[in-house]
Amino acid sequence: MRGIFFIIVLFLPYSLWANLLFENLQLELKVKENAPAYPFEFHYKNMSDKTVEIIDVKTTCGCTAIVEKGKTVKPFSEGVIKGSFSPNGLIGTDEKNLYVLTNDLAQSEIKLTLKIQIIPIMTLSKKMLVWRLGDKSTKNVKISILDDSFNFESISCESENFDIKIVYITAKEINLFVAPKSTEIKERNHAVILFKSDKEERAYNVFFLII
């Protein structure tokens, strides 16, 4: 009978032993690429009659910041860990972990997770166009602007060896047609595509290679 009791205790949910019970151990965030800092909150409650000290909250990268790392949590009181995430030019999906360190030996480290979807301002169908020597064909890059506050402003290229034609499909969808004037010699260059909103501007590169 003692063996059966041990097995039952072993497989009881971790939360039953936790003094600090978090409302969520994982948060899902949707963040715009140009967001300076996106706030998040992990809410918790001390379920015990003992005071718990949050000693520190450690992050795994500089893109995640915590407002207040040390706290005293009185019995049966509630609290929140506040922080912010900065995309810093990242695009796509990302996952960041936080580690809450406490003075509770049964719960000395609590792992919290941020699952982040970073939404780009715009997308390019291609970021590099390549021609072989002697090939003067026209190549196409499709631009889709996903943030309504941004508009296409201009495109510039250091090299005069490329003809660039801009065709608007809609106000937020643009086709760039690019053809080299000469492919007799190898060349590496790039075009800068500029987008502007009322508050800021963003630049993206498309690389042109003649190989």
Side-chain angles (χ1 to χ4, degrees):
M1 189 68 179
R2 289 178 60 188
I4 296 173
F5 175 76
F6 175 77
I7 293 172
I8 293 172
V9 170
L10 184 65
F11 287 98
L12 281 175
Y14 170 76
S15 60
L16 294 181
W17 301 100
N19 288 328
L20 284 186
L21 184 63
F22 279 81
E23 186 178 297
N24 294 292
L25 293 176
Q26 179 177 295
L27 294 179
E28 294 186 0
L29 306 180
K30 285 188 177 182
V31 184
K32 286 187 176 182
E33 173 193 355
N34 60 328
Y38 192 90
F40 61 83
E41 294 183 352
F42 285 96
H43 292 262
Y44 60 82
K45 183 175 182 178
N46 185 353
M47 304 298 290
S48 73
D49 58 359
K50 298 179 180 178
T51 297
V52 176
E53 296 286 342
I54 296 178
I55 301 168
D56 197 4
V57 181
K58 293 189 176 295
T59 61
T60 52
C61 79
C63 58
T64 309
I66 303 300
V67 175
E68 185 180 1
K69 293 189 174 184
K71 286 185 178 182
T72 299
V73 188
K74 295 181 179 180
F76 306 108
S77 66
E78 298 181 358
V80 60
I81 291 175
K82 296 181 179 181
S84 63
F85 171 79
S86 300
N88 295 334
L90 296 174
I91 295 175
T93 56
D94 201 1
E95 184 172 306
K96 302 297 180 185
N97 294 321
L98 313 175
Y99 296 92
V100 181
L101 308 182
T102 79
N103 68 337
D104 183 0
L105 295 179
Q107 196 187 20
S108 59
E109 182 179 279
I110 305 163
K111 180 182 174 182
L112 306 174
T113 301
L114 297 172
K115 286 188 172 290
I116 307 155
Q117 181 182 356
I118 305 169
I119 303 168
I121 293 170
M122 46 74 68
T123 59
L124 295 173
S125 62
K126 299 173 185 174
K127 294 185 179 180
M128 181 180 294
L129 300 179
V130 181
W131 292 265
R132 295 202 175 271
L133 289 175
D135 176 15
K136 293 185 180 180
S137 63
T138 299
K139 298 184 183 295
N140 169 253
V141 178
K142 184 178 179 181
I143 301 171
S144 298
I145 303 173
L146 306 178
D147 189 324
D148 290 337
S149 65
F150 276 81
N151 292 295
F152 173 79
E153 181 70 14
S154 64
I155 180 168
S156 59
C157 182
E158 293 178 355
S159 173
E160 296 181 354
N161 189 33
F162 296 92
D163 285 324
I164 302 173
K165 182 181 179 182
I166 302 168
V167 177
Y168 284 86
I169 304 171
T170 67
K172 299 297 180 182
E173 290 187 346
I174 303 162
N175 266 330
L176 297 180
F177 294 95
V178 185
K181 296 176 183 177
S182 171
T183 56
E184 298 304 316
I185 59 173
K186 295 181 179 181
E187 184 175 355
R188 293 175 178 267
N189 221 296
H190 68 280
V192 179
I193 306 171
L194 186 64
F195 298 86
K196 280 190 176 181
S197 71
D198 293 338
K199 297 181 180 179
E200 63 175 309
E201 64 181 38
R202 308 281 286 189
Y204 296 83
N205 290 329
V206 178
F207 292 91
F208 300 159
L209 303 181
I210 299 172
I211 60 175

